[in-house]
Structure formats: C-alpha cells, structure tokens
Amino acid sequence: LSDADPAVAEAAARALGWIGTPRAADALLRARSAEGVAAPARVIDDALLRAAQALAASGDGPQRDTALAVFTDLADPEESSVT
C-alpha cells in the first residue's frame, strides 16, 4: 500500500480486500487514514467493503465485530469505533 507506484498500491489494496482477514482489514483501515498512500481512496474503500463482507460471512463473533466496525467506519467515519 505504501509503494510509490499507484498501480502496485492499488493491486495491494485489492488483494487485501480479497484476503478478507482481520489483519487485512486493519491494514486497509490504517491506509485509509494515512497520508501519502498511492492507492486511490475509492479503491481502499472498495477493498475494505469486500474484506468486511468476508468477515461478516465468517460466522465468527470477533470477525463479525471487526466487520461491523468497518461497515460503521465506511458509513460514517465520525461515528467509527475503529482506531
């Protein structure tokens, strides 16, 4: 995500979205609020949505909690409980 080449950063964001683990979602959330990230914000948001959908579908309590936090952050960053 921090690669200077926007195409590489975008591919990394998309890959993390497909991976869909809590660690992948955390990396995307950090990139979303970081400055100087080469991937476009819309790509990071799309990847976050994909990761959150995978986490929500997992059926696991902590993963669903992470998914809910991501959905909340995407819907209204001001109300987010994600740090």
Side-chain angles (χ1 to χ4, degrees), residues 10 12-13 18-19 23-24 27 30-31 33-34 38-39 44 47 52 54-55 73 75 80:
E10 187 172 326
W18 281 104
I19 291 168
R23 287 183 67 190
R30 283 184 278 126
S33 62
I44 292 173
L55 290 167
D73 187 68
S80 176

Side-chain angles (χ1 to χ4, degrees), residues 65-78:
D65 292 344
T66 300
L68 179 59
V70 170
F71 289 137
T72 300
D73 187 68
L74 287 170
D76 187 358
E78 297 298 320

Side-chain angles (χ1 to χ4, degrees), residues 18-53:
W18 281 104
I19 291 168
T21 63
R23 287 183 67 190
D26 182 55
L28 290 163
L29 284 167
R30 283 184 278 126
R32 189 170 191 250
S33 62
E35 291 188 28
V37 174
R42 65 174 173 70
V43 172
I44 292 173
D45 287 352
D46 287 346
L48 265 170
L49 181 58
R50 181 175 306 283
Q53 288 170 331

